[in-house]
Amino acid sequence: MKNTALTAIHEALGAKMVPFAGYNMPVSYEGVNAEHETVRKGVGVFDVSHMGEFLITGEKALDFLQYICSNDISKIGVGGAQYNCLPNEDGGIVDDLIVYRIKENEYLAVVNASNIDKDWAWFNKHNTHDVVLKNISEDFSLLAIQGPKAAEAMQSLTDTDLSTIKFYTFQVGPFAGAENVIISATGYTGSGGFEIYCHNKDAEMIWNKVFEAGAGWGIKPIGLAARDTLRLEMGYCLYGNDIDDTTSPLEAGLGWVTKFTKDFVNSEALKAQKEAGVTKKLVGFVLDERGIPRQGYDIVDDNGTKIGHVTSGTMGPSVEKGIGLGYVETAHAKVDSKINIQIRKKAVPATVVRPPFYKG
């Protein structure tokens, strides 16, 4: 079991620790609902140092990323970031990731912790462009400082004007006494804030200064359980739940990051799928009655016939309703369609909605 540079701090704070993607990670501190509320209304800090980071450098870095990624990498300017998929050769998704453009010919790919080894092998397999690939996952820490008060709470720690870092952009500069820190705004919570990419040696110093600076704003540490409820209220996909090696980006509602203006891995087959139409779609749904949908529950029609399954579900702390994502046959995927979630012996009625569930 690997530790992050901050594991000892989490343990000292009394965090409930769980194994996640090979790492010893804090799942909660005071409880998921309280932590969720802190991020929605104030400011909270996640240690997400288990995420993977790959550097891609060279004159053909753009060509390489254009081929393995579904989105149009040429649209990213220096200082910009873009959400992406790595399509596999069988119609599914290797991983979803964020690509940052650091310099003209240098990019940073941030991948899911559970997929670091798989993605690293995939990057190397497709490196026919002689780009320099460097896996820096073990060398860097990542803090997500999230919530509407994040900018004002953190401004004293940097000369960078945090209010100028717009969604899906970043700046590099000093932060909390460390140099060359990436400060980005690519959050996974829907409540604003920043991510701090730093060297492991600086992580503890930055963590401590973040909590000193944020004390007046009620800053708190937040675990992975609240990260999941926050992202689900936004309808954001989680790899391994809502997307995986068998789900197509088009089925998952990720057509907006699947650009057929270029050639990429399996693009011809995905283009044919788009033209033919998909047979199932990932939808958001809200329960019409009390209940909590969970991953793996069947979705059924009014006759009790299975039409799909739940991929993510929870009682949304901010929306105070049972919410979820799931795949259903296309005929049942329209907004306002009535479906049923099979919760044990009861088929609980639900309505298909367009996420986000939390409108903020």
Side-chain angles (χ1 to χ4, degrees), residues 10 27 35 80 82 97 109 135 161 178 194 212 221 226 231 250 252 256 275 295 302 327:
H10 305 313
V27 70
E35 292 169 34
Q82 187 188 69
L97 68 160
N135 183 354
D161 182 352
F194 304 95
E212 287 166 18
R231 71 92 193 168
L250 303 177
W256 63 282
E275 287 163 4
Q295 182 188 20
D302 287 340
Y327 284 95

Side-chain angles (χ1 to χ4, degrees), residues 280-283 328-337 339 352:
K280 64 177 182 179
K281 283 186 178 177
L282 186 68
V283 298
V328 296
E329 295 168 3
T330 306
H332 301 273
K334 283 197 176 72
V335 170
D336 295 329
S337 295
I339 58 176
V352 173

